[in-house]
Amino acid sequence: MKHIDTKLVEKKMGPRLALNTVAKNIFLAATLFGLLVLVILIYRVVSDSIGWIDLEFLTNKLSTDAEKAGIMGAISGTLWLMVVVAPVTMILGVGTAIYLEEYAKKGRLQAFIQTNISNLAGVPSIVFGILGLTVFARALDLGSVVLAGGLTMSLLVLPVVVVASQEAIRAVPQFLREASYGMGATKWQTIKNVVLPAAIPGILTGVILALSRAIGETAPLVVLGIPALLIPLPDSIFDKFTVMPMQIYYWTLDSALVAEYANLAAATIVILLLVLFVMNSIAVLIRNKFQRRF
């Protein structure tokens, strides 16, 4: 057995331990810096919104008078947008994931589709806005209505839902499928009665997180020309609409002319953050409560 030189080991351990300490401090500083920026941002937004968030702010319509302006129109438009985004995203996203994981043969075509779906998740959101403007607003002549905005946002978050659903389906143990086949079930019966119930927590988590992103996106709607003016509340998916991020965007721009609009924008940001926090918390609770271990 080769002799270990303890002095040489101690000599080399010193620089290694020092490097480890330096790296740990750098990572800690990076974490603290990110948290500090987040705290400052939240403090600034909350402080600017104090005194502006009340029942009238939530129920009033848009107004040129900052004291009377509210976000009921933006809230209504956001809800109508989700009426389109939620079913389209769930049906197409989960259906695509089921096909790729359960039906598609493993090969070049399947790998090509999988690679492109993963790449689409990293495409800038404004590109989807241009696509929505070209296809839905102009080619289909829908204009800047709820349906056009919802379909555009569905394209934006669809890759996220597909990837999350694939991971959830892939996590279902193979022996559950084999047991179902052994009892005489068909492939679709196995997917419907065994695979999907076991994968539902992961799928729902991905869907909720995707919807949270859709609620907070602005760039695609700006490209579509979604207004933030004094418009009637939407009554159907074929009406014009606005959403909370758009209202924040325009109020921030108008704050250069009317200082109170900055407070209205801050108040809307607080409401939007609360909505996103609740949705993300629900996603975490679903994952933790219903996640199965096999």
Side-chain angles (χ1 to χ4, degrees):
M1 183 176 179
K2 189 176 180 179
H3 176 69
I4 298 176
D5 189 344
T6 56
K7 293 183 178 180
L8 180 61
V9 172
E10 292 177 357
K11 182 179 179 181
K12 290 184 176 181
M13 283 299 295
R16 293 179 181 179
L17 292 175
L19 179 61
N20 178 73
T21 302
V22 171
K24 181 179 69 174
N25 291 333
I26 291 175
F27 297 146
L28 176 61
T31 303
L32 294 177
F33 177 76
L35 290 176
L36 178 63
V37 172
L38 179 61
V39 169
I40 293 174
L41 177 62
I42 293 178
Y43 171 77
R44 178 64 185 274
V45 170
V46 172
S47 61
D48 288 347
S49 67
I50 293 176
W52 290 86
I53 300 178
D54 53 23
L55 185 60
E56 291 184 355
F57 176 72
L58 297 176
T59 57
N60 285 356
K61 297 181 181 180
L62 301 178
S63 173
T64 54
D65 186 355
E67 297 292 338
K68 299 179 180 179
I71 59 171
M72 186 60 198
I75 293 175
S76 177
T78 300
L79 293 177
W80 273 107
L81 186 69
M82 291 301 103
V83 168
V84 177
V85 175
V88 172
T89 302
M90 288 190 66
I91 294 172
L92 294 181
V94 177
T96 301
I98 291 175
Y99 173 76
L100 291 176
E101 291 299 319
E102 300 294 333
Y103 289 102
K105 294 182 180 180
K106 305 300 180 183
R108 292 183 178 180
L109 179 60
Q110 193 266 355
F112 175 77
I113 297 173
Q114 185 67 57
T115 301
N116 280 276
I117 290 176
S118 300
N119 289 336
L120 284 174
V123 172
S125 59
I126 195 169
V127 175
F128 289 97
I130 296 173
L131 177 62
L133 176 66
T134 303
V135 177
F136 304 126
R138 293 181 177 175
L140 298 181
D141 198 24
L142 294 176
S144 54
V145 298
V146 174
L147 182 58
L151 292 176
T152 301
M153 287 301 188
S154 297
L155 292 178
L156 172 65
V157 301
L158 193 59
V160 178
V161 176
V162 173
V163 173
S165 300
Q166 281 187 274
E167 292 296 331
I169 293 172
R170 200 176 297 145
V172 178
Q174 184 63 28
F175 69 80
L176 293 179
R177 299 177 176 85
E178 294 173 353
S180 178
Y181 294 144
M183 297 180 66
T186 63
K187 192 173 189 64
W188 170 242
Q189 288 175 329
T190 299
I191 294 172
K192 181 181 67 173
N193 299 322
V194 177
V195 176
L196 285 181
I200 279 295
I203 292 175
L204 286 180
T205 300
V207 169
I208 294 174
L209 293 178
L211 294 181
S212 298
R213 182 185 176 187
I215 289 177
E217 280 290 347
T218 309
L221 300 180
V222 172
V223 176
L224 281 175
I226 302 302
L229 305 176
L230 304 178
I231 58 176
L233 299 183
D235 294 323
S236 71
I237 59 175
F238 298 103
D239 291 338
K240 291 184 177 295
F241 73 110
T242 189
V243 292
M244 286 188 282
M246 289 296 299
Q247 198 57 60
I248 294 170
Y249 173 72
Y250 280 106
W251 270 338
T252 302
L253 292 180
D254 293 340
S255 64
L257 302 176
V258 181
E260 288 77 8
Y261 283 153
N263 300 100
L264 292 175
T268 310
I269 291 173
V270 171
I271 300 299
L272 180 59
L273 287 176
L274 289 176
V275 171
L276 296 179
F277 176 78
V278 170
M279 293 184 68
N280 292 338
S281 298
I282 292 174
V284 172
L285 289 175
I286 291 175
R287 182 190 63 191
N288 293 339
K289 183 174 179 61
F290 298 104
Q291 188 174 19
R292 300 183 181 183
R293 298 182 181 275
F294 299 97

